[in-house]
Amino acid sequence: MTELKGYIDHIIYKNDDNGYAVFVVVCDEEEITCVGTVPGITDGMNVEIKGEYVEHPSYGTQIKISNLKECEPEDEIAIERYLGSGAIKGIGLAMANRIVRHFKKDTFRIIEEEPERLVEIKGISEKKARDIAAQVCEKRELRSAIIFLSQFGITLALAVKIYNKYGPEIYTIMRENPYRIADDIKGVGFKIADDIAMKAGIKVDSDFRIKSGILYVLLMASGEGHTYLPAEKLTERSVALLGVDPEMVERLYMDLSIEKKIVVKGENIYSSVFYAIESSVARMLLERNMKYDIPDEKIETIIKHVKKGSELEEDDMQTLAMREAMKNGVVVITGGPGTGKTTTINNIIKSFNYQGAEIMLAAPTGRAAKRMTEATGIEAKTIHRMLELNGSADDSENAISAGFGRNEDYPLETDVVIVDEMSMVDITLMNALLKAIAPGTRLILVGDANQLPSVGPGSVLKDIIESEKFSVVRLTKIFRQATKSDIVVNAHKINEGKEVTLDNKSRDFFFLKRYDADKIINVTMQLVGEKLPGYVQATPFDIQVLTPMRKGLLGVERLNKILQNYMNPPSKGKREREHGDGILREGDKVMQIKNNYNLEWEIAGQFGIVIDRGLGVFNGDMGIVKEINDFAQTVTVEFEEGKKVDYPFSSLDELELSYAITIHKSQGSEYPAVVIPLLDGPRMLMNRNLIYTAVTRARKCVTIVGDENTFGDMVQNETQLARYCGLKNRLVEMAIY
């Protein structure tokens, strides 16, 4: 361990988000390059550092800092250097020289204790003197706060965040209610706040602790897709988390309700945020479900025009969908693969074009929007892009507070909005979408109600259909062209619980029987790397492995490590970065695993010139690692459409390898071929809904590798994990009034 004392001559690079910096320290007239996470440093700062010398392949010898402490300048030269460094706004080199020449070594005492004396210096007014004193004191208070917070095991970076949020109030907060930190600061969940609170001496049965734990349980439940929990389950989960008696939890429900942090609805308990969102979605859907008095003769004329010259098979339900779309403000069109959803969308578009209406198309993901564009010939956008995501989201991790340019004050300028892949839309995104759709604008929702529900909270499409308050058109007929595909035929058999023939006489649906996990993985690797790319005219990276689980012998975590070494092995030309318990390597296939509304992306054209830029990378977006930059501490990922994003090393928890992904994460996506490794698993998970979703992700070929008995059991298993959502109930309640 090396220990040095000197001053910061200049900062080469600084990331204000995570505090990582590269800077030069002068020690005994020698310049030393240092790297590390050191928030709040400035040029001219006197420091004591501890660290290890390391040899960087590109930048030479550096000190990797383990600890940095600011010191008081010890002589007049050091004081002058610090004041003139820019650390104190309003003082330049000349002013610093005048101050120190006048007050000498007593400079800091004068600034802190007798700031009015600064007016003795030419060019300093009373107002400026007060400002200089305030800045010096604030920096001293920050240092004191960091030292105070460190005794609770709080890192330097987090201590700076906490101080910036609360200032001097932090001492009272730590003494009375450290759980406020979990509510107010991004990256601090209940468990971190609980650990801090225990070190601060907060009792296990403190009301503050129990309330914070209850809200944390509701937050975690939203991550599982729930918008509320039954009171019994909330109590059970809270007791398990907090280690207190059920009575201690239950007695605080009333307090939290009075504080408007939860809403008790019968036997169910919501966080107040999700209850408000659910109620808002129900109200806006009903408001937009206007009835349009269009003469039947006019409707029939329009339908006749749309069908004129069409060589496509006709279906009464497709015709009904056109009628309903013209007569109602909100219409749902649902159906499985091969039932003509795309044709129906195209017919509806033609019917509104005939009337001169403006139409907007959208889908939840980039992949789905791209498919919609190709199928209709009209540009479809992601919902986020259509709503003009503007990056004004706060620190929330979901769409509750995402900033959209289009809202109730600035709605979409269109007559019709058609949204595809509605099964993927969660309650928060639906809320944002409806705010941007003015009453009088028709909303047509298209999706497969038998798909898995959205990754985010809510069961929007299913609840809208089951409320029976809107026009719903169910497409059930499988068209002749679609019957040529065993993917389509077998998907419908699965959905109906019928036996699927596994004789491998198909051209696009195969079942390779294997009963050992390692043998299944070996076959999967051969399929992805050798057999399927030529068969479906795609690259190995285009072929997706879908698995039911994250853990286990055939889980995402194990499969990704094996597939990474097979498809993108280490080599001298590829830089790597340790990430979690694995490695991220240039050339890796990765996925964004949480919505980040503030991540910036760029698209570069010829000669590297930026031709487009924007904000937002979303849960399920997939890309390739293009560069790992150890000096800048960034990983560059290129997503679809050439969008490049620079991730700081501190944000790599938002990425994971995606050679294999869970079936849940594949929602809304379509791949040339999918490979599904399959062995036994938890009954609640291994159900019909899951295998149906997996099979329908493939465009040209499905190959299942594994146990045919597990497959058969999944087809017969209609059990699904319960999802606690109340949109259906809100719609029924509000429709009465």
Side-chain angles (χ1 to χ4, degrees):
M1 180 72 68
T2 299
E3 297 186 21
L4 297 173
K5 195 170 184 179
Y7 68 90
I8 297 174
D9 184 69
H10 63 280
I11 297 169
I12 299 170
Y13 169 82
K14 183 165 69 170
N15 185 319
D16 290 328
D17 292 331
N18 59 25
Y20 178 82
V22 181
F23 56 98
V24 173
V25 170
V26 174
C27 177
D28 296 330
E29 299 185 0
E30 181 186 357
E31 293 190 352
I32 302 165
T33 302
C34 302
V35 297
T37 301
V38 283
I41 63 168
T42 57
D43 290 348
M45 182 183 286
N46 288 264
V47 292
E48 287 181 5
I49 59 174
K50 293 180 182 179
E52 299 284 352
Y53 277 102
V54 294
E55 197 67 29
H56 191 281
S58 302
Y59 305 109
T61 304
Q62 302 174 337
I63 289 183
K64 189 174 183 180
I65 292 174
S66 58
N67 184 266
L68 179 146
K69 184 172 72 173
E70 184 178 2
C71 313
E72 290 289 356
E74 294 178 348
D75 55 38
E76 293 174 27
I77 293 173
I79 294 170
E80 183 178 329
R81 186 192 307 119
Y82 176 76
L83 290 176
S85 67
I88 308 298
K89 291 179 182 175
I91 299 182
L93 289 171
M95 180 72 73
N97 178 264
R98 291 202 297 274
I99 293 171
V100 176
R101 212 168 53 220
H102 188 74
F103 295 118
K104 300 189 170 25
K105 288 185 179 181
D106 214 21
T107 296
F108 276 122
R109 188 195 65 77
I110 296 292
I111 291 174
E112 292 174 7
E113 298 177 12
E114 303 176 70
E116 67 279 1
R117 287 191 58 193
L118 284 172
V119 298
E120 296 171 17
I121 309 300
K122 185 179 178 182
I124 297 182
S125 64
E126 286 186 24
K127 183 177 180 301
K128 190 167 186 176
R130 286 194 300 271
D131 184 48
I132 291 169
Q135 288 185 66
V136 170
C137 290
E138 184 181 348
K139 290 182 182 297
R140 183 180 291 277
E141 285 170 3
L142 172 59
R143 292 196 298 273
S144 299
I146 288 171
I147 293 167
F148 170 73
L149 292 169
S150 68
Q151 67 183 302
F152 304 111
I154 297 172
T155 63
L156 179 62
L158 180 54
V160 172
K161 278 187 179 181
I162 293 172
Y163 182 79
N164 287 341
K165 176 69 179 177
Y166 301 117
E169 191 188 356
I170 187 58
Y171 302 99
T172 305
I173 289 170
M174 292 301 295
R175 186 171 61 251
E176 296 179 355
N177 180 18
Y179 295 97
R180 276 185 60 186
I181 298 170
D183 294 336
D184 297 340
I185 297 175
K186 182 182 179 183
V188 182
F190 170 80
K191 293 194 174 179
I192 293 175
D194 198 35
D195 186 46
I196 293 168
M198 293 299 102
K199 290 173 182 171
I202 302 296
K203 292 181 179 179
V204 171
D205 60 356
S206 158
D207 284 1
F208 288 129
R209 178 173 186 263
I210 297 172
K211 286 180 183 179
S212 184
I214 291 167
L215 296 175
Y216 174 75
V217 169
L218 286 172
L219 177 64
M220 291 300 98
S222 72
E224 298 168 21
H226 309 304
T227 59
Y228 69 84
L229 283 178
E232 185 181 347
K233 283 199 173 291
L234 178 57
T235 300
E236 181 186 311
R237 291 189 182 193
S238 299
V239 166
L241 173 72
L242 299 165
V244 298
D245 294 334
E247 296 77 19
M248 300 181 77
V249 172
E250 290 167 351
R251 70 179 175 80
L252 291 173
Y253 289 156
M254 182 60 73
D255 288 359
L256 285 168
S257 180
I258 291 169
E259 294 168 14
K260 300 192 183 306
K261 290 184 177 177
I262 66 171
V263 173
V264 180
K265 195 75 176 171
E267 295 299 313
N268 303 323
I269 298 179
Y270 287 81
S271 73
S272 57
V273 171
F274 277 109
Y275 184 78
I277 289 173
E278 227 172 49
S279 300
S280 170
V281 168
R283 175 183 54 77
M284 289 189 288
L285 275 169
L286 292 167
E287 286 175 353
R288 282 145 186 76
N289 192 28
M290 298 177 174
K291 303 300 177 185
Y292 292 87
D293 188 17
I294 302 176
D296 290 342
E297 299 80 13
K298 183 176 180 181
I299 291 175
E300 295 310 313
T301 300
I302 294 168
I303 290 172
K304 188 175 179 181
H305 169 79
V306 169
K307 289 184 175 182
K308 189 177 180 181
S310 174
E311 297 178 3
L312 296 171
E313 290 182 70
E314 287 192 21
D315 176 35
D316 290 342
M317 298 311 289
Q318 291 183 348
T319 303
L320 176 63
M322 277 192 284
R323 286 197 186 97
E324 294 300 298
M326 285 185 268
K327 291 162 65 176
N328 296 281
V330 178
V331 173
V332 177
I333 299 166
T334 184
T339 57
K341 290 194 299 294
T342 299
T343 302
T344 304
I345 291 171
N346 278 323
N347 284 344
I348 289 171
I349 290 170
K350 288 175 185 175
S351 69
F352 282 114
N353 279 340
Y354 181 76
Q355 300 172 70
E358 292 287 330
I359 303 169
M360 283 188 172
L361 308 183
T365 67
R367 283 174 181 264
K370 185 178 179 183
R371 287 206 318 274
M372 200 178 186
T373 300
E374 291 167 351
T376 62
I378 299 172
E379 183 190 10
K381 298 179 180 179
T382 63
I383 297 174
H384 292 91
R385 190 176 169 201
M386 182 178 73
L387 299 183
E388 298 176 13
L389 183 70
N390 59 25
S392 64
D394 68 9
D395 285 340
S396 172
E397 293 180 2
N398 53 46
I400 291 171
S401 53
F404 292 105
R406 295 290 181 168
N407 50 42
E408 57 268 50
D409 298 321
Y410 184 38
L412 296 166
E413 295 163 9
T414 186
D415 301 303
V416 183
V417 174
I418 304 176
V419 183
D420 198 7
E421 294 288 358
M422 264 302 299
S423 63
M424 291 186 67
V425 176
D426 63 32
I427 195 73
T428 55
L429 186 56
M430 190 65 179
N431 189 45
L433 174 64
L434 289 169
K435 284 181 179 180
I437 296 176
T441 299
R442 287 176 173 85
L443 177 61
I444 299 162
L445 308 174
V446 185
D448 185 345
N450 294 306
Q451 297 278 0
L452 290 167
S454 58
V455 174
S459 186
V460 174
L461 180 63
K462 181 170 173 282
D463 278 6
I464 291 173
I465 292 171
E466 291 185 357
S467 74
E468 299 182 353
K469 300 302 173 186
F470 305 93
S471 173
V472 177
V473 179
R474 293 175 172 85
L475 304 176
T476 55
K477 178 181 176 181
I478 306 174
F479 289 95
R480 276 198 304 270
Q481 187 174 356
T483 59
K484 296 176 184 177
S485 165
D486 286 319
I487 294 174
V488 172
V489 172
N490 288 338
H492 283 273
K493 284 184 178 180
I494 290 168
N495 194 39
E496 295 163 12
K498 295 178 180 177
E499 185 178 351
V500 176
T501 303
L502 304 177
D503 58 8
N504 289 333
K505 292 181 180 179
S506 169
R507 291 180 300 174
D508 62 4
F509 192 99
F510 304 99
F511 199 109
L512 307 180
K513 297 175 184 179
R514 302 289 188 279
Y515 308 97
D516 175 80
D518 290 337
K519 289 179 180 176
I520 289 172
I521 291 171
N522 284 332
V523 171
T524 297
M525 288 193 295
Q526 290 175 30
L527 288 166
V528 173
E530 302 167 26
K531 307 285 187 184
L532 288 175
Y535 188 67
V536 297
Q537 280 80 55
T539 71
F541 276 56
D542 293 325
I543 294 159
Q544 190 60 53
V545 177
L546 302 179
T547 182
M549 295 170 288
R550 289 196 58 81
K551 307 282 186 183
L553 295 175
L554 293 179
V556 162
E557 294 174 6
R558 182 170 187 239
L559 282 170
N560 268 320
K561 288 179 180 178
I562 295 169
L563 289 167
Q564 179 192 41
N565 285 328
Y566 174 66
M567 296 180 67
N568 187 35
S571 71
K572 288 185 179 179
K574 295 176 186 172
R575 281 167 289 196
E576 298 179 348
R577 169 73 183 177
E578 285 189 12
H579 171 43
D581 61 351
I583 288 172
L584 209 56
R585 183 177 297 132
E586 288 178 340
D588 272 337
K589 183 177 177 180
V590 293
M591 173 184 278
Q592 173 82 9
I593 60 170
K594 62 197 288 190
N595 289 339
N596 187 325
Y597 298 92
N598 296 309
L599 262 183
E600 296 181 11
W601 53 262
E602 291 183 344
I603 298 176
Q606 197 174 13
F607 309 118
I609 298 170
V610 175
I611 58 174
D612 195 11
R613 55 166 49 93
L615 292 169
V617 182
F618 306 106
N619 193 350
D621 287 354
M622 294 173 70
I624 302 293
V625 175
K626 289 297 183 181
E627 182 185 18
I628 296 175
N629 189 323
D630 291 322
F631 182 72
Q633 301 273 293
T634 58
V635 172
T636 302
V637 177
E638 183 173 331
F639 291 96
E640 290 183 335
E641 301 174 352
K643 294 179 179 178
K644 287 189 177 180
V645 177
D646 289 334
Y647 288 82
F649 282 176
S650 61
S651 297
L652 293 184
D653 60 341
E654 296 188 16
L655 291 173
E656 68 180 22
L657 295 173
S658 62
Y659 299 100
I661 63 174
T662 61
I663 295 166
H664 279 86
K665 288 286 189 183
S666 71
Q667 288 171 267
S669 295
E670 188 178 77
Y671 311 96
V674 300
V675 179
I676 307 168
L678 204 59
L679 279 179
D680 203 9
R683 178 171 171 78
M684 289 299 291
L685 175 67
M686 307 290 279
N687 57 40
R688 180 185 298 174
N689 204 216
L690 193 78
I691 194 66
Y692 173 79
T693 299
V695 166
T696 55
R697 297 307 90 207
R699 188 165 62 248
K700 295 182 179 179
C701 181
V702 169
T703 307
I704 302 173
V705 188
D707 187 337
E708 73 277 18
N709 294 317
T710 298
F711 174 75
D713 289 345
M714 291 180 76
V715 172
Q716 295 307 313
N717 181 13
E718 294 184 76
T719 308
Q720 291 183 44
L721 288 168
R723 181 168 278 216
Y724 300 113
C725 312
L727 178 60
K728 173 185 171 182
N729 294 335
R730 301 291 84 73
L731 286 165
V732 172
E733 288 169 359
M734 291 185 183
I736 296 171
Y737 299 103

